[in-house]
Amino acid sequence: MGNTADTVIPAPASQTAGDGAFDLGRATAIAATADAAPVGEYLASLLRTATGLYLPVGRDGNVVLTIEPGHPEGGYDLAVAPDGIRLAANDAAGLFLGVQTLRQLLPPSSADSPASLVPPEIAATTISDHPRFAYRGAMLDVARHFFGVDEVKRYIDDIALLKLNVLHLHLTDDQGWRLEIEGWPRLTQHGGSTQVGGAGGGFYTQDDFREIVAYATSRFITIVPEIDLPGHTNAALSSYPELTCDGHAPKLYEGIEVGFSSLCIDNAHTYEFVADVLGQVAALTPGPWIHIGGDEALSTPDADYLRFIERASGIAAATGKTVIGWHEMGRSPDLPAGTVGEYWSFTTPEGDAAEVSRRFVDRGGRLILAPADVAYLDMKYDESSALGLVWAKGPTSIEDAYGWDPAEVIPGVGDAQLLGVEAPLWTETIVTMTDIESMAFPRIAAIAELAWSPRRTRDFTEFASRLAAFGAHLAALGIAFHRAPGVPWR
Ligand code: TNX
């Protein structure tokens, strides 16, 4: 028996059940025009793994992928009927998103547990679907613990399943500098040589980074690179003492405190460094955004911070990218037009977080919401979680992660002012790929639904029943996830 459409996460904008079912075992081929062929090949490879069926991709077939105008903006139309499947969108990205829905409509299966034991049937259904927000992000901190190219690729595939389309990489922090910068070899040779707890460390060569970007592109995911400035820079300061005010290199740092490091604000080397780094990062990254951090600069005096942000954001904008900064950057009186703020305070804003965030909007930018009390994937699930932190009103249950709406966080900021939503995974306590997946899944599914599905009254019991179906897919795919109580896992 195939799953019905109402098991999909994120919930489609509209869906109607039909009569009968399509038996994929009877499919002859995937039909795709040249522009749709890469997505056709991607679908075919997924289906080969999941069902053992070899579906050639060609001009004719009864699983038809079409690129043509007239479909939902950013989305797709999918019709499953007894005689075939039709998936259509305005572009290949839309088709790719529709394929993610199709995967969830199939019975959960994999090469390890092939569906050939059961007919791979899909119940007839019609879905017309589009995203609520253009930016649907996950963030991975590769600085506190380093994760290699293959692990990042795997996370890209993991998040694609949920129609997320941005991976923000937190590339630098006190504990490590993870991206090779030409002309500054010690950043990675020395600054990338360790991580939290000491063992390991590592960095991406520029070729490694290009490989990550290319893989993300093949999954219609945009990489947002973050170089965190002017705080969170101990690894850089330790590598190049000329970036400090006293010329004295601090030791490499393997703890988990924040807010103790700062670039030297009135030092000419600082701006050569910022321009060189941001210029190379921008050149390596095809996406429209560059993130310059700006958070928790607790040891940078206020006036220095404002002067630094004004200059550094100008340097970042001069690369041609749209600048993103954590919401503290809104305190700066002068930001490049359209600078995007990333909000990390709580669903009930604390201190001046709402006010400084609104300033991005006042100056023509938009906001990405990553409220720490609901969207931070590094919070413990419950008191018994071995991994994770609790500072952001943790523990954070799946119900907490699901129980908010992006338009209700910052007064005066609704859908029109929001670029999107992001789920960050900071990695102070996260060491392995299994750690990553089991902290992200299933809470990231809640955040993905808030980012994609239309605003509506949300019922956790209903979501939990879809989550149980999604969990079966995760299990078949070998993706680790936390079987939190309150969900009828299969
Ligand atoms: C806060 S929120 C941070 C990170 C930490 C994280 C741990 C923000 C922009 N910065 O430096 O890793 O908390 O949860």
Side-chain angles (χ1 to χ4, degrees), residues 1-10 12 14-17 21-22 24 43 47 51 76-81 85-87 97-109 119-127 129 161 163 466 469-470 473 490:
M1 253 284 286
N3 290 325
T4 51
D6 56 8
T7 58
V8 176
I9 296 179
S14 83
Q15 57 189 64
T16 320
F22 179 73
L24 204 66
L43 173 61
L47 293 176
T51 68
Y76 62 93
D77 284 303
L78 174 64
V80 178
I85 296 177
R86 318 185 71 78
L87 172 61
L97 296 166
V99 165
Q100 304 310 321
T101 298
L102 199 49
R103 295 174 77 181
Q104 289 188 43
L105 297 178
L106 274 159
S109 59
E121 226 175 56
I122 306 181
T125 186
T126 305
I127 293 177
D129 200 8
L161 195 54
K163 302 185 175 70
R466 281 185 289 125
F470 186 67
H473 285 280
R490 292 171 185 178

Side-chain angles (χ1 to χ4, degrees), residues 139-145 147 168 170 173 425-428:
M139 188 213 83
L140 183 64
D141 170 9
V142 296
R144 270 54 176 270
H145 281 99
F147 298 91
H168 164 185
H170 183 76
D173 213 303
L425 180 53
W426 304 98
T427 58
E428 285 91 339

Side-chain angles (χ1 to χ4, degrees), residues 255-280:
I256 67 166
E257 296 301 311
V258 298
F260 59 87
S261 59
S262 179
L263 292 175
C264 187
I265 303 307
D266 291 315
N267 178 340
H269 290 299
T270 295
Y271 301 93
E272 281 166 33
F273 169 75
V274 169
D276 233 1
V277 170
L278 297 183
Q280 290 185 40

Side-chain angles (χ1 to χ4, degrees), residues 127-164:
I127 293 177
S128 186
D129 200 8
H130 63 88
R132 176 175 174 185
F133 295 113
Y135 183 115
R136 303 179 301 279
M139 188 213 83
L140 183 64
D141 170 9
V142 296
R144 270 54 176 270
H145 281 99
F146 179 66
F147 298 91
V149 172
D150 288 343
E151 291 164 311
V152 175
K153 285 181 176 174
R154 181 173 164 119
Y155 200 49
I156 286 169
D157 278 324
D158 289 355
I159 67 172
L161 195 54
L162 288 163
K163 302 185 175 70
L164 298 180

